[in-house]
Amino acid sequence: MADLKVSKDKLDNEKLVLYFMQNGKSLYSGAALDINQLHTYEVDHIIPQCYIKDDSFDNKALVRKEENQRKLDSLLLDPKIIHTQRAWWTALNRAGLISDKKLKNLTCTDITERMIKGFINRQLVETSQIVKFVRQL
């Protein structure tokens, strides 16, 4: 029974759902993922939350750590990744494993004015909240 609890505690439901949605592969490279090593993979926001406030599965991908780290300099997916993976993503979409919205997020190549306005508005709200907190101190 103790082994079952340890296994349950290690289980990350979000990663497991993404694993099956992605047919056990990294969404960015198509490389096979080991279900027993889910803790070593990362959940990436396809379009960073600084631009859109979307924390749903439509904006998340299970990827290898090194694939997530590549976004340090770029906020959107590399066009090479989009070109290489588009057919597979389309197949996942047709099979009902990923939504139209997720496919759109994956193939997004530019930040829209709406996303920029949303980012600016969130920054203004955060700044005003910080100012309010500092006043209270």
Side-chain angles (χ1 to χ4, degrees), residues 20-71:
F20 285 111
M21 287 173 75
Q22 299 170 197
N23 283 335
K25 297 179 183 178
S26 170
L27 202 56
Y28 295 166
S29 67
L33 302 175
D34 183 346
I35 196 168
N36 296 308
Q37 297 295 316
L38 287 180
H39 65 280
T40 65
Y41 307 123
E42 295 185 355
V43 175
D44 182 39
H45 285 89
I46 300 164
I47 298 179
Q49 286 191 295
C50 65
Y51 286 115
I52 61 171
K53 202 76 169 165
D54 185 354
D55 199 32
S56 71
F57 284 118
D58 287 334
N59 195 38
K60 289 183 178 180
L62 183 63
V63 297
R64 295 180 306 172
K65 186 174 184 171
E66 61 271 15
E67 295 169 350
N68 191 19
Q69 300 307 312
R70 60 95 196 123
K71 282 177 80 174

Side-chain angles (χ1 to χ4, degrees), residues 26 30 34 52-53 55 66 68 70 87 89 92-93 98 102 106 116-117 134:
S26 170
D34 183 346
I52 61 171
K53 202 76 169 165
D55 199 32
E66 61 271 15
N68 191 19
R70 60 95 196 123
W89 296 337
L92 290 175
N93 175 259
I98 66 172
K102 186 165 192 164
L106 287 164
I116 293 170
K117 285 179 182 176
V134 169

Side-chain angles (χ1 to χ4, degrees), residues 16 29 39 46 54 64 95 102-103 107 111 120 131 136:
L16 189 63
S29 67
H39 65 280
I46 300 164
D54 185 354
R64 295 180 306 172
K102 186 165 192 164
L103 182 60
T107 57
I111 300 299
I120 292 169
V131 169
Q136 290 175 353

